[in-house]
Amino acid sequence: MQIIQSVLALALTLGILVTLHEYGHFWVARRFGVKVLRFSVGFGKPLFSWHDRQGTEYAIAAIPLGGYVKMLDEREGPVPEELRDQAFTSKPPSQRIAIAAAGPLANFIFAIFAYWLISVVGVTTVAPIVGEVATDSAAERAGLQEGMEIHSVDGHRVNSWRDVNMRLLERAGEQGLVSLEITDNGSRGVVSGPLNGWALSDDAPNPLAEFGITPWRPEVPAVLGQIVEDGRAKAAGLQAGDRILAVDDEPVANWFALVEHIRNAPEQLLTLTIERDGARLSVSVTPGARTLDDGQVIGFVGAGVEAISWPDEVLREVRFGPLAAIPNAVHETWADTRLTLVAIKKMVTGLLSPTNLSGPITIARVAEASVSSGFEDFVRFLAYLSVSLGVLNLLPVPVLDGGHIVYYTIEAIRRKPLSERTQELGLRIGMALILTLMVFALYNDLMRL
């Protein structure tokens, strides 16, 4: 069932973003008088299609992992003399550059709209207040201490831990100083310290943890929330709302201590002392065994923690008026663009491991998680992925929009196109590079399963 949900989420995500991208090409091509033969959402055989008055076919195809715009083009076959002025190849380089750039531009415009919508609707976030600081970490060197609230990183404002994560990602693998504006016991100030080339892990980077920060969170009592119907907890008679006081007569301080007890006792009988409706009870449960990817065997009982409430003083509502939201949306889009470019640069220079490159499987899993998380998370994910799609398509690689823009720019300067042999060689190199990256990304996905 989860696989089906992930596939549907991936189809929905790519369907939205690729349709917008291709519509950008379509809209500008139409404005320059280029005849568009087909606008397809998806690849493969059309499931159904229709035509407009200008003869363009609109199709919904069977494979919902992309799309394309097919234009009248002399490179793909003979063009009738009466339609030659409507062919893409008959247009001057400046217009072909505009058509090629319109797809990525549509992705950036969508991201700005998405962030504008989030800004106007408003979101409630948890303030980035520091919990624990790891010894001998970049966070400790920077002077961060428990209880400090972070307001900016290197001069860039942050309202949430997501914002802090994004800023720290930009500094991964670097030397130099990191500067953070903080509030400590009501006093505003700045702390800074050397990064010393702090690095991210290869497989699942966690900038906060690797920087040395554990976010502050309220105490999480060992109170059961959800109980899985076919789990060991349900079979033992445990109920939502039960507070676990002890395991085998050893007091349990909080939820994490309880989890530790259970993880360390696969297929071992445990005696839980619980409090239910003011009365103390004793319940026996045997955790099931689960093998992790690294071969470690842990125990689990099929129960979740009761939802906790965050104190009002650590919650921050971020909301803008319709006009004030515009520059904020542009700022958010530029921040995503910069992060994508920095990540590409660091992968090329070796400061960021190529194993962080993700393919369709990871995108599907993240998309499914963001869809189920709610409106804001899904729209924010769409915005970030849209920016990434726009940036990647503008890279000067043949096959991509950026490669075509380079070809047309050279043609405008030389006043004649590059030779077919040169373009064919560039196309082959570009295809080889893109296919290599796709295979590598898919390999990384499979290694994360």
Side-chain angles (χ1 to χ4, degrees):
M1 184 62 182
Q2 185 174 3
I3 294 177
I4 296 175
Q5 290 177 339
S6 295
V7 171
L8 291 175
L10 176 63
L12 175 62
T13 300
L14 292 183
I16 293 173
L17 298 183
V18 172
T19 299
L20 287 167
H21 180 94
E22 296 302 329
Y23 184 76
H25 294 310
F26 169 83
W27 190 86
V28 174
R30 277 279 185 89
R31 295 304 169 279
F32 287 135
V34 176
K35 184 174 181 59
V36 179
L37 303 177
R38 175 182 287 178
F39 186 135
S40 177
V41 177
F43 294 110
K45 184 178 180 180
L47 299 176
F48 57 91
S49 63
W50 66 97
H51 293 78
D52 65 11
R53 289 180 295 180
Q54 298 185 46
T56 299
E57 178 189 10
Y58 299 87
I60 306 296
I63 306 174
L65 298 178
Y68 62 92
V69 172
K70 184 178 181 181
M71 306 177 200
L72 190 64
D73 194 319
E74 292 176 299
R75 295 169 298 183
E76 297 183 4
V79 174
E81 185 63 35
E82 65 273 15
L83 295 178
R84 186 159 293 174
D85 64 331
Q86 298 180 48
F88 176 79
T89 43
S90 72
K91 301 303 178 182
S94 60
Q95 293 186 6
R96 280 179 275 149
I97 289 172
I99 293 170
L105 180 60
N107 287 122
F108 293 122
I109 291 174
F110 171 76
I112 291 173
F113 169 75
Y115 281 126
W116 176 86
L117 183 62
I118 292 173
S119 300
V120 171
V121 171
V123 295
T124 299
T125 65
V126 176
I129 298 174
V130 178
E132 297 180 8
V133 176
T135 303
D136 195 28
S137 64
E140 185 182 61
R141 291 192 295 272
L144 287 175
Q145 297 178 14
E146 181 179 354
M148 289 181 172
E149 180 178 348
I150 303 173
H151 298 285
S152 72
V153 178
D154 293 328
H156 301 287
R157 74 175 186 271
V158 292
N159 297 311
S160 65
W161 282 118
R162 175 190 177 275
D163 296 341
V164 176
N165 255 319
M166 299 280 279
R167 294 303 174 187
L168 292 179
L169 272 172
E170 293 184 20
R171 302 301 307 276
E174 295 184 8
Q175 303 293 331
L177 296 176
V178 61
S179 175
L180 305 104
E181 184 181 0
I182 55 92
T183 296
D184 186 19
N185 292 323
S187 300
R188 200 104 167 191
V190 176
V191 296
S192 63
L195 289 168
N196 292 352
W198 76 284
L200 298 174
S201 65
D202 289 346
D203 296 326
N206 184 339
L208 285 180
E210 289 150 359
F211 190 73
I213 300 174
T214 299
W216 180 88
R217 58 191 173 199
E219 187 67 27
V220 183
V223 178
L224 302 184
Q226 292 181 334
I227 304 294
V228 178
E229 282 299 321
D230 57 352
R232 301 285 181 93
K234 178 75 172 180
L238 291 169
Q239 300 177 12
D242 287 347
R243 180 184 293 270
I244 312 303
L245 303 176
V247 177
D248 291 338
D249 295 326
E250 182 179 338
V252 171
N254 52 40
W255 174 259
F256 306 103
L258 172 63
V259 170
E260 191 68 19
H261 277 293
I262 293 173
R263 285 173 62 95
N264 293 334
E267 300 299 344
Q268 298 178 32
L269 183 66
L270 298 177
T271 301
L272 308 183
T273 303
I274 70 170
E275 181 182 284
R276 179 186 298 166
D277 298 328
R280 287 200 176 201
L281 304 172
S282 182
V283 175
S284 296
V285 62
T286 301
R290 176 179 293 160
T291 303
L292 303 181
D293 294 338
D294 60 3
Q296 180 186 4
V297 180
I298 63 170
F300 73 103
V301 296
V305 65
E306 184 179 63
I308 59 173
S309 298
W310 291 84
D312 291 340
E313 60 267 22
V314 303
L315 299 178
R316 304 287 183 269
E317 184 173 359
V318 181
R319 188 190 303 272
F320 295 84
L323 293 179
I326 296 174
N328 183 69
V330 172
H331 170 80
E332 293 276 6
T333 302
W334 168 241
D336 287 352
T337 303
R338 184 177 59 246
L339 177 61
T340 303
L341 291 171
V342 168
I344 293 172
K345 175 185 174 183
K346 290 187 176 182
M347 284 188 188
V348 172
T349 59
L351 292 178
L352 190 62
S353 172
T355 57
N356 290 305
L357 188 66
S358 297
I361 296 176
T362 298
I363 293 174
R365 294 171 69 180
V366 174
E368 193 273 331
S370 64
V371 168
S372 59
S373 295
F375 170 80
E376 182 213 341
D377 286 339
F378 181 57
V379 173
R380 196 178 288 278
F381 172 69
L382 280 178
Y384 180 73
L385 200 58
S386 187
V387 168
S388 298
L389 184 63
V391 171
L392 292 175
N393 268 281
L394 285 175
L395 294 178
V397 177
V399 179
L400 300 179
D401 294 327
H404 293 307
I405 291 172
V406 170
Y407 279 165
Y408 304 148
T409 301
I410 293 174
E411 180 182 343
I413 295 172
R414 297 174 72 237
R415 298 190 180 280
K416 63 178 181 178
L418 292 171
S419 67
E420 289 188 11
R421 182 179 179 183
T422 300
Q423 293 189 48
E424 181 67 24
L425 177 61
L427 180 64
R428 291 181 178 179
I429 294 173
M431 284 292 292
L433 179 60
I434 295 301
L435 287 174
T436 300
L437 289 175
M438 289 175 63
V439 170
F440 187 66
L442 183 59
Y443 172 79
N444 288 342
D445 283 354
L446 294 174
M447 290 300 99
R448 295 187 185 110
L449 292 178

